[in-house]
Amino acid sequence: MITVKNITKTYGRKQNAFVAIDSASFTIPDATTVAILGKSGSGKSTLMHAMSGLDRPEVGEVVIDGQDILTMKPKEVDRFRATKMSFIFQSFFVQANESCYDNVSLPLEIAKVPWAERKQKVEAALAAVQLLDKKKSRARDLSGGQKQRLAIARAIVNEPQIIFADEPTGNLDSATGAVVEDFLFNYVKERGATLIVVTHDEELANKCDARIDIKDGKISATKGLDRKAKK
Amino acid sequence: MKTTDIIRRAGRSLRQAKTRTLLTSLAIGVGAFTITLSLAGGQGGREYADAIVRSNTDVRELLVTKESEDANTIAEYTPGGPGAVPSGAGTPGGPFTRGFQFLGTSDLEVMADIENVNGVTPNYSPSVDYITTKGQKKYQASVSTFSPTVSLKYAAGGVEGDLRDDQIILAEDYASTLGFTNPADAIGKTVQIGATKQRTIFSGAEAREFTYTVAGVSSESGLAFRSQGSLLLGESAIKELYIYVSEGTASYNRFLAASVRVNEPEQAEEVKAILEEKGYTAQTSADVLGTVNTFINVLLGILLGFGALAVITSIFGIVNTQYISVLERTQQIGLMKALGMSQTDVGKLFTFEAAWIGFLGGAIGAGLAVVGGSIANPAISEALGLGDISLLIFSPLQVLGVITGLIAISIIAGILPARKASKLDPIEALRTE
């Protein structure tokens, strides 16, 4: 369960100050897929960064599994991210010069997963996105859709509880995007993980259990969160 | 992240920028090359010096002198007194005598009584007037004692063991000055050395000519470093000259220095300590070597300075390369941080990359130096006439030390870029424009 309490994030100072998130509060139950919707500049990415501990709002709490990640030490937050979260980005951020295998192995290395377990986990993740045959190929030789599938493999390899996806299909055509979405949603459903998708794509948002609309840094509407929470 | 994983990733990042890595490494390689060669030259130089000293001095011999109690003041004149500088020619003057006391017969006895001392020979230095041979002019001369343990290079003739009492060894230039057509021509000919008896200096001169047969003509040796003197006489011959010249004068049986022979080379230091306890100054062949080595070390220091300069220059190369690398890989760093890599680990990643560059440069430079030096060694020895002596001696430990040192320097050079990488804000890094 992720509880966001009253977070506010401001950029700049004094007259240049810009409030990116203005006292946002909500609770996301476990095993939920949530879409954060908003126009560009609405603060939806900042919200995601705050929820993942990448950014630190000056006010508020982000409680994940009973721990307020905003009061944790940087090392603890890093450890938290390495073991419990993962990310998927619009522009993939796969390491073009490295093999698919090494790309997927990175989160395991960061999380200090022992050598012996890595191979099996990496191959399972690659198999889940149907890229096992590309294990030794360099990431640069993959197509856009394959790159995002590789990114998904990287995101799921360490079996995270929460996956943050920032416009995961923004750089893909709709057919490829749909395939990528399927992989993502299948994994989340199978594992009972939480998926938080930042998007402005209504279609993608409709596939999620819940949605949070954000406008000018303020949460304008939420849907589906309470219903799930009561369950 | 585990250190082994970080090292692996660091190595992989460098492989992905092969040209840049190689060029940066080569800059350090120049330093490594210079330093390795300097160290090898120093090592070779020291061993060469050791060989020289060993062939010029006897490891069982100590040169003993006696310093006056207050070496910094000139001793007061007391006629005939023990510490006084005796008057009259026959004793070498000059700055050397200042601060020194002469060794008397009692001193020689004291030395001879020390345990493990095999023999004491005073340095006879009779002042002779001239050298001549049949049908030639008289030429200025000074004589020294021939030492059988010191290796001499002969242009002609030569002796095995010690010189006989009636034999002399001439330097090459004396042989030609005395009118011999070539060194071999001088062998077996007789020469005369004229000396004046100094006791009679007030009552009228008494002079005498001593005749010797030329046993050998010495030429300059590759290993000769201490002046051998141009005219060498056997020990008893020079003693005879000394007695003739100095007997009855105030300086008779007063010596500037004496050679003390010990039974075994290992005892030299021990005897030296005892001698110094008794108020003498003793110099072993190791001491002589030390003086020569100081000189070599100064030269070595200069060469190392050049190497260090090259290394300093390459530091900027590393800093530059690593900064560019950080800039190029901003997204990668951002991603790794987003995935939970700690600041320390990101810093380590770039530090290890710098270390790899240092290792590579060190290995390339030192490797080339070892290979090149080993190939060049025979040529150098031939050009300098060193025979089978190698001037460049590579010790694995030194090469290892050079590489380790350069790795350390590279790590230091990588600190700033690594800090920049570790402080990078992942949100900024991952912003897609």
Side-chain angles (χ1 to χ4, degrees), chain A residues 81 91 98 102 109 118, chain B residues 5 9 331-332 337-338 432:
Chain A
R81 270 209 305 280
S91 22
E98 293 191 350
D102 286 331
E109 289 173 33
R118 285 187 201 165
Chain B
D5 287 326
R9 288 222 166 242
Q331 285 190 345
Q332 190 196 351
K337 285 191 154 183
T432 44

Side-chain angles (χ1 to χ4, degrees), chain B residues 285-335:
Chain B
S285 102
D287 296 335
V288 178
L289 187 63
T291 317
V292 179
N293 277 342
T294 310
F295 181 67
I296 292 172
N297 287 340
V298 169
L299 278 178
L300 175 67
I302 294 170
L303 281 172
L304 283 178
F306 284 117
L309 217 62
V311 170
I312 290 170
T313 316
S314 67
I315 286 178
F316 295 104
I318 298 173
V319 175
N320 190 28
T321 304
Q322 288 298 92
Y323 261 130
I324 292 171
S325 184
V326 171
L327 286 179
E328 258 188 14
R329 285 153 60 197
T330 305
Q331 285 190 345
Q332 190 196 351
I333 298 164
L335 175 81

Side-chain angles (χ1 to χ4, degrees), chain B residues 148-421:
Chain B
T149 54
V150 173
S151 65
L152 261 188
K153 204 170 162 189
Y154 294 104
V159 286
E160 292 279 329
D162 215 341
L163 271 183
R164 285 206 318 272
D165 287 355
D166 61 339
Q167 286 182 318
I168 190 167
I169 289 170
L170 298 184
E172 222 171 349
D173 47 356
Y174 264 103
S176 60
T177 306
L178 288 171
F180 299 112
T181 48
N182 58 52
D185 184 38
I187 306 299
K189 303 278 164 47
T190 56
V191 293
Q192 286 79 39
I193 286 180
T196 310
K197 203 168 179 63
Q198 285 169 352
R199 178 168 58 90
T200 59
I201 208 152
F202 301 110
S203 55
E206 183 196 327
R208 208 188 117 182
E209 273 189 355
F210 293 79
T211 303
Y212 304 98
T213 311
V214 178
V217 176
S218 64
S219 66
E220 281 188 28
S221 154
L223 282 178
F225 99 95
R226 202 166 64 164
S227 165
Q228 272 285 313
S230 34
L231 300 172
L232 298 176
L233 291 172
E235 199 184 305
S236 43
I238 209 156
K239 190 175 178 183
E240 190 194 343
L241 256 180
Y242 175 79
I243 292 168
Y244 175 75
V245 171
S246 303
E247 195 174 20
T249 65
S251 66
Y252 185 59
N253 272 349
R254 289 174 175 279
F255 306 100
L256 269 175
S259 298
V260 170
R261 263 183 89 78
V262 293
N263 290 320
E264 297 299 328
E266 306 84 69
Q267 292 158 349
E269 283 304 318
E270 206 178 295
V271 171
K272 180 184 169 176
I274 298 170
L275 281 167
E276 283 178 347
E277 214 170 88
K278 289 183 190 293
Y280 299 100
T281 306
Q283 201 184 33
T284 62
S285 102
D287 296 335
V288 178
L289 187 63
T291 317
V292 179
N293 277 342
T294 310
F295 181 67
I296 292 172
N297 287 340
V298 169
L299 278 178
L300 175 67
I302 294 170
L303 281 172
L304 283 178
F306 284 117
L309 217 62
V311 170
I312 290 170
T313 316
S314 67
I315 286 178
F316 295 104
I318 298 173
V319 175
N320 190 28
T321 304
Q322 288 298 92
Y323 261 130
I324 292 171
S325 184
V326 171
L327 286 179
E328 258 188 14
R329 285 153 60 197
T330 305
Q331 285 190 345
Q332 190 196 351
I333 298 164
L335 175 81
M336 290 192 291
K337 285 191 154 183
L339 294 181
M341 193 158 163
S342 67
Q343 276 201 12
T344 346
D345 285 349
V346 172
K348 269 191 204 161
L349 178 69
F350 281 86
T351 305
F352 281 124
E353 284 184 27
W356 270 115
I357 293 176
F359 169 76
L360 220 75
I364 292 173
L368 283 180
V370 171
V371 171
S374 305
I375 293 169
N377 241 337
I380 295 171
S381 296
E382 207 184 305
L384 297 178
L386 303 179
D388 54 356
I389 294 166
S390 296
L391 200 60
L392 298 171
I393 295 170
F394 297 98
S395 99
L397 215 67
Q398 275 180 346
V399 171
L400 212 71
V402 168
I403 296 176
T404 318
L406 287 176
I407 291 175
I409 287 169
S410 305
I411 288 174
I412 293 168
I415 287 177
L416 279 178
R419 259 180 72 91
K420 190 182 165 73

